[in-house]
Amino acid sequence: MKLARIRTAAGICVARVEEQFVQVLDLSSAGFASLSELLSASNLPEVVKSIASIGDPLAMDSVNWLPPIDNQEVWAAGVTYKRSQTARMEESEAAASCYDRVYTAARPELFYKATPSRCSGQGGLLRIRSDATWNVPEPELALVLSRDAKIVGYTIGNDMSSRDIEGDNPLYLPQAKVYNQCCGLGPWITLADAMPERSTIGIRLAIHRGSQQVFSGKTSIAEMAREFEDLVQWLFRDNDFPYGAFMLTGTGVVPDSDFTLQAGDLVSIEIDGIGTLTNTIVQGK
Ligand code: DO4
Ligand code: MG
Protein backbone atom coordinates (compact mmCIF):
# COMPACT_ATOMS: atom_id res chain seq x y z
CA MET A 1 0.00 0.00 0.00
CA LYS A 2 1.31 3.45 -0.96
CA LEU A 3 0.21 6.91 0.18
CA ALA A 4 0.88 10.18 -1.62
CA ARG A 5 0.20 13.87 -1.28
CA ILE A 6 -0.94 15.42 -4.55
CA ARG A 7 -2.32 18.69 -5.90
CA THR A 8 -5.63 18.55 -7.79
CA ALA A 9 -8.02 21.27 -9.01
CA ALA A 10 -9.75 20.90 -5.62
CA GLY A 11 -6.53 21.61 -3.68
CA ILE A 12 -3.97 19.50 -1.77
CA CYS A 13 -5.16 15.92 -1.15
CA VAL A 14 -3.93 12.64 0.31
CA ALA A 15 -4.17 9.75 -2.15
CA ARG A 16 -3.76 5.98 -2.31
CA VAL A 17 -1.39 4.90 -5.07
CA GLU A 18 -2.53 1.71 -6.84
CA GLU A 19 -0.65 -0.20 -9.59
CA GLN A 20 -1.94 1.88 -12.52
CA PHE A 21 -3.77 4.84 -10.98
CA VAL A 22 -4.13 7.14 -7.99
CA GLN A 23 -7.25 7.54 -5.89
CA VAL A 24 -7.91 10.66 -3.77
CA LEU A 25 -9.00 9.75 -0.22
CA ASP A 26 -11.79 11.31 1.82
CA LEU A 27 -9.63 11.70 4.95
CA SER A 28 -12.14 13.74 6.90
CA SER A 29 -14.85 11.05 6.52
CA ALA A 30 -12.47 8.74 8.40
CA GLY A 31 -11.80 11.38 11.07
CA PHE A 32 -8.29 12.40 9.97
CA ALA A 33 -7.30 16.02 9.42
CA SER A 34 -3.92 15.43 7.77
CA LEU A 35 -1.47 12.90 6.36
CA SER A 36 0.69 13.10 9.50
CA GLU A 37 -2.31 12.34 11.68
CA LEU A 38 -3.23 9.35 9.48
CA LEU A 39 0.35 8.03 9.67
CA SER A 40 0.06 7.78 13.47
CA ALA A 41 -3.16 5.68 13.31
CA SER A 42 -3.01 2.22 14.81
CA ASN A 43 -3.54 -0.58 12.23
CA LEU A 44 -2.44 1.85 9.51
CA PRO A 45 -2.66 -0.56 6.50
CA GLU A 46 -6.24 -1.58 7.40
CA VAL A 47 -7.24 2.04 8.03
CA VAL A 48 -5.81 3.18 4.66
CA LYS A 49 -7.58 0.33 2.87
CA SER A 50 -10.91 1.28 4.45
CA ILE A 51 -10.92 5.04 3.74
CA ALA A 52 -13.51 6.02 1.13
CA SER A 53 -12.24 7.58 -2.08
CA ILE A 54 -13.43 10.74 -3.84
CA GLY A 55 -13.86 11.21 -7.60
CA ASP A 56 -12.54 9.17 -10.51
CA PRO A 57 -9.15 7.42 -10.42
CA LEU A 58 -6.32 9.61 -11.77
CA ALA A 59 -3.87 8.35 -14.37
CA MET A 60 -0.34 8.16 -12.92
CA ASP A 61 1.12 10.48 -15.58
CA SER A 62 -1.51 13.16 -14.91
CA VAL A 63 -0.69 13.51 -11.21
CA ASN A 64 0.93 16.62 -9.73
CA TRP A 65 3.01 15.02 -6.93
CA LEU A 66 3.89 16.86 -3.73
CA PRO A 67 6.40 15.70 -1.13
CA PRO A 68 4.52 13.22 1.14
CA ILE A 69 4.94 15.38 4.25
CA ASP A 70 2.84 18.04 6.01
CA ASN A 71 3.75 18.86 9.62
CA GLN A 72 6.68 16.55 10.33
CA GLU A 73 10.31 17.51 10.95
CA VAL A 74 12.92 15.92 8.67
CA TRP A 75 16.04 14.58 10.38
CA ALA A 76 18.99 12.73 8.89
CA ALA A 77 21.63 10.28 10.02
CA GLY A 78 25.18 10.66 8.75
CA VAL A 79 28.21 8.44 8.16
CA THR A 80 26.16 5.24 8.33
CA TYR A 81 27.96 3.68 5.33
CA LYS A 82 31.73 3.16 4.85
CA ARG A 83 31.57 5.15 1.57
CA SER A 84 30.29 8.24 3.38
CA GLN A 85 33.00 7.92 6.05
CA THR A 86 35.86 7.71 3.52
CA ALA A 87 34.49 10.45 1.23
CA ARG A 88 34.16 12.83 4.18
CA MET A 89 37.60 12.02 5.53
CA GLU A 90 39.00 12.95 2.09
CA GLU A 91 36.88 16.10 1.98
CA SER A 92 38.12 17.54 5.27
CA GLU A 93 41.59 16.88 6.69
CA ALA A 94 40.77 18.92 9.79
CA ALA A 95 37.64 16.93 10.63
CA ALA A 96 38.77 13.49 9.41
CA SER A 97 38.96 12.02 12.90
CA CYS A 98 35.39 13.19 13.68
CA TYR A 99 33.98 11.21 10.75
CA ASP A 100 36.25 8.27 11.58
CA ARG A 101 35.07 8.12 15.21
CA VAL A 102 31.36 8.67 14.55
CA TYR A 103 31.23 5.73 12.12
CA THR A 104 31.86 3.29 15.00
CA ALA A 105 30.61 5.28 18.01
CA ALA A 106 27.49 4.11 19.86
CA ARG A 107 25.87 7.54 19.41
CA PRO A 108 25.12 8.16 15.71
CA GLU A 109 25.44 11.46 13.89
CA LEU A 110 21.90 12.89 13.66
CA PHE A 111 21.12 16.32 12.29
CA TYR A 112 18.07 18.42 11.54
CA LYS A 113 17.68 18.38 7.77
CA ALA A 114 14.55 20.23 6.70
CA THR A 115 11.20 21.79 7.45
CA PRO A 116 8.35 20.60 5.18
CA SER A 117 8.52 23.83 3.17
CA ARG A 118 12.17 23.10 2.22
CA CYS A 119 11.23 19.70 0.70
CA SER A 120 10.51 19.02 -2.98
CA GLY A 121 8.52 16.09 -4.34
CA GLN A 122 8.60 14.03 -7.52
CA GLY A 123 9.28 16.26 -10.54
CA GLY A 124 10.05 19.31 -8.36
CA LEU A 125 13.21 21.41 -8.17
CA LEU A 126 16.17 20.85 -5.85
CA ARG A 127 18.69 23.59 -5.27
CA ILE A 128 22.43 24.17 -5.13
CA ARG A 129 23.31 27.03 -2.79
CA SER A 130 24.40 30.20 -4.59
CA ASP A 131 27.60 30.33 -2.45
CA ALA A 132 28.65 26.69 -2.93
CA THR A 133 30.99 25.25 -5.55
CA TRP A 134 31.04 21.49 -4.84
CA ASN A 135 27.62 19.86 -4.55
CA VAL A 136 26.19 16.37 -4.61
CA PRO A 137 22.87 14.62 -4.17
CA GLU A 138 22.75 11.96 -1.43
CA PRO A 139 20.35 9.09 -2.24
CA GLU A 140 18.95 7.81 1.06
CA LEU A 141 16.17 5.56 2.27
CA ALA A 142 13.89 7.71 4.45
CA LEU A 143 12.04 6.22 7.42
CA VAL A 144 8.53 7.53 8.02
CA LEU A 145 7.97 7.62 11.78
CA SER A 146 4.71 7.88 13.70
CA ARG A 147 4.48 10.08 16.79
CA ASP A 148 5.08 6.98 18.94
CA ALA A 149 8.38 6.22 17.17
CA LYS A 150 7.15 3.36 14.96
CA ILE A 151 8.55 2.92 11.44
CA VAL A 152 5.23 3.02 9.58
CA GLY A 153 6.57 3.53 6.07
CA TYR A 154 9.47 4.40 3.81
CA THR A 155 10.11 6.94 1.09
CA ILE A 156 13.04 8.14 -1.00
CA GLY A 157 15.15 10.99 0.35
CA ASN A 158 17.71 13.20 -1.36
CA ASP A 159 19.96 14.86 1.25
CA MET A 160 21.43 17.58 -1.00
CA SER A 161 24.87 18.56 0.31
CA SER A 162 27.44 21.30 -0.30
CA ARG A 163 30.73 19.44 0.12
CA ASP A 164 32.97 22.55 -0.05
CA ILE A 165 31.09 24.18 2.84
CA GLU A 166 31.03 21.06 5.05
CA GLY A 167 34.65 20.30 4.10
CA ASP A 168 35.84 23.78 5.04
CA ASN A 169 34.66 23.37 8.64
CA PRO A 170 32.31 20.74 10.16
CA LEU A 171 30.65 23.52 12.17
CA TYR A 172 29.23 24.69 8.84
CA LEU A 173 27.22 21.44 8.49
CA PRO A 174 23.80 23.11 8.96
CA GLN A 175 24.63 25.56 6.16
CA ALA A 176 25.88 22.74 3.90
CA LYS A 177 22.65 20.84 4.47
CA VAL A 178 19.72 23.18 5.21
CA TYR A 179 18.52 25.83 2.74
CA ASN A 180 15.63 26.35 0.29
CA GLN A 181 14.75 23.18 -1.68
CA CYS A 182 17.52 21.19 0.04
CA CYS A 183 15.61 17.93 0.47
CA GLY A 184 13.91 15.62 -2.01
CA LEU A 185 11.14 13.36 -0.64
CA GLY A 186 8.81 11.06 -2.55
CA PRO A 187 7.27 10.14 -4.85
CA TRP A 188 5.10 8.51 -2.16
CA ILE A 189 5.26 6.53 1.08
CA THR A 190 5.28 2.74 0.87
CA LEU A 191 3.75 1.38 4.07
CA ALA A 192 6.14 -0.76 6.11
CA ASP A 193 4.32 -4.06 5.55
CA ALA A 194 4.62 -3.68 1.75
CA MET A 195 8.43 -3.26 1.68
CA PRO A 196 10.87 -6.02 0.64
CA GLU A 197 13.10 -7.63 3.28
CA ARG A 198 15.50 -4.91 4.51
CA SER A 199 18.86 -6.35 3.53
CA THR A 200 17.65 -6.83 -0.06
CA ILE A 201 16.67 -3.19 -0.61
CA GLY A 202 18.83 -1.65 -3.33
CA ILE A 203 19.42 2.11 -3.81
CA ARG A 204 20.48 3.44 -7.23
CA LEU A 205 21.46 6.98 -8.25
CA ALA A 206 21.67 8.29 -11.83
CA ILE A 207 22.54 11.85 -12.86
CA HIS A 208 21.84 13.07 -16.40
CA ARG A 209 23.20 16.26 -18.00
CA GLY A 210 21.35 16.83 -21.27
CA SER A 211 21.36 13.51 -23.09
CA GLN A 212 24.40 12.19 -21.20
CA GLN A 213 24.49 10.14 -18.02
CA VAL A 214 27.30 11.81 -16.02
CA PHE A 215 27.13 9.61 -12.91
CA SER A 216 25.61 6.36 -11.75
CA GLY A 217 26.15 4.44 -8.56
CA LYS A 218 24.40 2.00 -6.27
CA THR A 219 24.37 0.54 -2.80
CA SER A 220 22.12 -1.60 -0.63
CA ILE A 221 20.74 -1.45 2.88
CA ALA A 222 22.93 -4.51 3.59
CA GLU A 223 25.92 -2.08 3.45
CA MET A 224 24.56 0.07 6.29
CA ALA A 225 26.56 0.00 9.52
CA ARG A 226 23.56 0.75 11.77
CA GLU A 227 20.07 -0.63 12.41
CA PHE A 228 17.02 1.54 11.68
CA GLU A 229 15.58 0.93 15.17
CA ASP A 230 18.83 2.08 16.79
CA LEU A 231 18.76 5.35 14.82
CA VAL A 232 15.10 5.88 15.76
CA GLN A 233 15.64 5.33 19.48
CA TRP A 234 18.49 7.89 19.45
CA LEU A 235 16.31 10.42 17.63
CA PHE A 236 13.43 10.03 20.09
CA ARG A 237 15.68 10.28 23.20
CA ASP A 238 14.50 13.41 25.02
CA ASN A 239 12.63 14.46 21.88
CA ASP A 240 8.88 14.35 21.25
CA PHE A 241 7.52 14.47 17.70
CA PRO A 242 3.80 15.22 18.02
CA TYR A 243 3.36 14.98 14.23
CA GLY A 244 5.84 12.14 13.70
CA ALA A 245 9.07 12.61 11.74
CA PHE A 246 11.06 11.58 8.70
CA MET A 247 14.57 10.23 9.09
CA LEU A 248 16.99 9.96 6.17
CA THR A 249 19.29 7.03 6.91
CA GLY A 250 22.54 8.22 5.31
CA THR A 251 24.20 7.83 1.93
CA GLY A 252 26.21 4.91 0.63
CA VAL A 253 26.75 6.54 -2.78
CA VAL A 254 29.11 9.52 -3.10
CA PRO A 255 30.46 10.53 -6.55
CA ASP A 256 34.25 10.86 -6.92
CA SER A 257 35.77 14.10 -5.69
CA ASP A 258 36.00 15.66 -9.18
CA PHE A 259 32.20 15.54 -9.60
CA THR A 260 29.88 18.43 -8.82
CA LEU A 261 26.23 18.94 -9.72
CA GLN A 262 25.26 21.66 -12.18
CA ALA A 263 22.03 23.58 -12.71
CA GLY A 264 19.89 21.65 -15.20
CA ASP A 265 21.08 18.19 -14.07
CA LEU A 266 18.37 15.57 -13.66
CA VAL A 267 18.86 13.45 -10.51
CA SER A 268 17.02 10.12 -10.26
CA ILE A 269 17.05 7.91 -7.18
CA GLU A 270 15.48 4.47 -7.37
CA ILE A 271 14.82 2.38 -4.25
CA ASP A 272 13.38 -1.14 -4.30
CA GLY A 273 9.86 -1.33 -2.91
CA ILE A 274 9.25 2.38 -3.44
CA GLY A 275 9.96 3.58 -7.00
CA THR A 276 11.94 6.48 -8.49
CA LEU A 277 12.29 10.09 -7.34
CA THR A 278 13.43 12.47 -10.09
CA ASN A 279 14.27 16.14 -9.59
CA THR A 280 15.81 18.92 -11.68
CA ILE A 281 18.67 20.90 -10.12
CA VAL A 282 18.64 24.70 -9.99
CA GLN A 283 21.13 27.14 -8.44
CA GLY A 284 20.87 30.50 -6.80
CA LYS A 285 17.95 32.54 -5.46
O1 DO4 B 1 28.64 14.26 8.36
C1 DO4 B 1 27.98 14.82 7.58
C2 DO4 B 1 26.76 14.34 6.90
C3 DO4 B 1 26.77 12.90 6.55
C4 DO4 B 1 25.65 12.51 5.67
O2 DO4 B 1 24.78 13.27 5.33
C5 DO4 B 1 25.58 11.11 5.19
O3 DO4 B 1 26.44 10.28 5.50
O4 DO4 B 1 24.63 10.81 4.46
MG1 MG C 1 23.28 12.36 3.97
Side-chain angles (χ1 to χ4, degrees):
M1 188 93 59
K2 293 170 176 160
L3 276 176
R5 220 169 124 258
I6 66 173
R7 189 185 296 282
T8 70
I12 294 174
C13 310
V14 173
R16 201 164 42 215
V17 181
E18 312 281 359
E19 280 299 308
Q20 306 287 343
F21 59 88
V22 171
Q23 189 72 68
V24 171
L25 297 179
D26 188 358
L27 272 200
S28 58
S29 72
F32 296 102
S34 63
L35 174 62
S36 50
E37 198 181 317
L38 173 63
L39 289 168
S40 283
S42 44
N43 295 328
L44 181 60
E46 288 75 27
V47 170
V48 172
K49 223 179 290 171
S50 71
I51 298 178
S53 54
I54 314 175
D56 292 331
L58 305 171
M60 296 290 265
D61 59 4
S62 71
V63 171
N64 186 350
W65 305 99
L66 296 172
I69 181 170
D70 46 35
N71 294 308
Q72 301 96 320
E73 297 176 9
V74 182
W75 285 71
V79 197
T80 51
Y81 291 79
K82 194 77 188 158
R83 176 66 190 126
S84 179
Q85 180 215 30
T86 49
R88 291 188 148 86
M89 289 176 73
E90 285 160 18
E91 171 188 290
S92 170
E93 254 175 53
S97 74
C98 297
Y99 297 115
D100 197 21
R101 279 185 289 126
V102 83
Y103 182 67
T104 51
R107 183 188 290 271
E109 178 196 6
L110 298 179
F111 58 92
Y112 191 86
K113 172 63 188 175
T115 49
S117 68
R118 292 188 170 85
C119 296
S120 297
Q122 165 60 19
L125 303 176
L126 287 176
R127 189 165 293 275
I128 299 171
R129 288 183 65 109
S130 56
D131 56 0
T133 56
W134 183 20
N135 298 275
V136 288
E138 293 191 353
E140 306 189 11
L141 181 66
L143 312 180
V144 182
L145 305 171
S146 65
R147 60 176 160 242
D148 54 355
K150 289 206 183 72
I151 303 172
V152 295
Y154 297 83
T155 190
I156 300 172
N158 184 344
D159 173 23
M160 291 284 290
S161 296
S162 303
R163 296 191 67 184
D164 55 325
I165 296 176
E166 181 185 338
D168 190 19
N169 188 323
L171 297 180
Y172 295 151
L173 186 76
Q175 295 175 74
K177 294 286 192 179
V178 186
Y179 52 89
N180 294 335
Q181 295 166 311
C182 64
C183 182
L185 279 184
W188 43 67
I189 293 168
T190 300
L191 298 192
D193 65 343
M195 282 296 281
E197 203 272 308
R198 269 183 205 179
S199 63
T200 68
I201 299 172
I203 301 177
R204 291 167 288 279
L205 168 67
I207 306 174
H208 285 89
R209 192 164 291 158
S211 58
Q212 260 204 311
Q213 181 168 283
V214 289
F215 178 80
S216 72
K218 61 179 183 184
T219 188
S220 135
I221 295 302
E223 302 293 316
M224 239 184 106
R226 294 186 187 264
E227 295 296 324
F228 299 157
E229 285 74 12
D230 183 54
L231 294 173
V232 174
Q233 69 84 14
W234 279 101
L235 180 66
F236 276 71
R237 273 193 195 193
D238 296 277
N239 249 335
D240 288 335
F241 294 92
Y243 302 105
F246 284 72
M247 186 197 261
L248 277 54
T249 52
T251 188
V253 180
V254 183
D256 287 340
S257 297
D258 57 357
F259 179 87
T260 186
L261 280 174
Q262 291 178 11
D265 286 354
L266 206 61
V267 174
S268 294
I269 302 171
E270 186 187 2
I271 300 189
D272 296 329
I274 307 174
T276 305
L277 174 67
T278 301
N279 298 101
T280 301
I281 302 299
V282 293
Q283 182 165 26
K285 270 276 166 204

